[in-house]
Amino acid sequence: AICETARKQKADLIVISTHGFTGLKRLLLGSTAERVVRHAHCSVLTVHGQHAKDITITGKRRKILVPTDFSEPAEVALQSAVEIAQQFQMKLQLLYVVPVHYSTGEYDAVDFAMLAVEQKRSGQKQLAKIKQALTAKKIAVTTTIRTGRPASEIVEVAEDFDPDLIVI
């Protein structure tokens, strides 16, 4: 119903809170915010309910974390983050996570360590190119590369970087 209403009203953005339930509560109650993010025709800003009072774009911190896998959707997210950063003089932290690969059976002959090294090298080059372009636009930007499960690494970097927004 939320997505359909947003579509009918030609909304550019849906803002929705999330409770952050885990375990049995999440299983029983579901995640409306997650479903809206997956099915919305437009951008969605999720706000963790218990942190809503802390949100301020015009405050002192002014940091945006932008995880990327260099895909087309990630590029769209980056462009949105750049627009926000320019408008509010915010700093960007770009994050690329080299995913950990595991296999069994016929795929165990693949050299996943070598694959990870190549992905990291490629990620460094792509991040450097993006950083150079953003720096030329006078946008403060730092980059980080991590290895692991992307969702876990994004959360860990967010805890360290303490951003105002995560654009993904």
Side-chain angles (χ1 to χ4, degrees), residues 70-135:
F70 308 109
S71 65
E72 191 174 318
E75 177 64 26
V76 171
L78 174 61
Q79 290 309 312
S80 294
V82 166
E83 290 174 18
I84 294 167
Q86 287 176 315
Q87 185 170 357
F88 296 101
Q89 293 80 46
M90 298 176 84
K91 177 181 179 177
L92 296 180
Q93 170 70 45
L94 305 180
L95 170 65
Y96 173 61
V97 178
V98 177
V100 177
H101 299 283
Y102 303 99
S103 72
T104 57
E106 63 188 66
Y107 296 104
D108 61 0
V110 175
D111 187 345
F112 287 112
M114 188 172 75
L115 177 62
V117 167
E118 180 53 38
Q119 285 181 302
K120 184 174 182 180
R121 187 179 304 124
S122 175
Q124 288 169 329
K125 287 179 184 177
Q126 289 177 291
L127 285 176
K129 185 177 175 183
I130 294 168
K131 182 176 181 177
Q132 182 179 18
L134 294 177
T135 302

Side-chain angles (χ1 to χ4, degrees), residues 18-82:
T18 177
H19 299 287
F21 293 140
T22 59
L24 187 58
K25 243 185 179 177
R26 180 182 169 137
L27 182 65
L28 295 174
L29 299 175
S31 173
T32 300
E34 182 180 327
R35 287 193 301 274
V36 168
V37 167
R38 274 193 271 121
H39 299 291
H41 77 287
C42 61
S43 295
V44 179
L45 172 62
T46 62
V47 179
H48 197 294
Q50 70 187 37
H51 299 294
K53 66 184 182 320
D54 300 331
I55 292 178
T56 174
I57 290 181
T58 58
K60 296 179 183 176
R61 296 183 327 181
R62 304 181 202 225
K63 298 185 286 188
I64 305 173
L65 175 61
V66 187
T68 185
D69 60 3
F70 308 109
S71 65
E72 191 174 318
E75 177 64 26
V76 171
L78 174 61
Q79 290 309 312
S80 294
V82 166

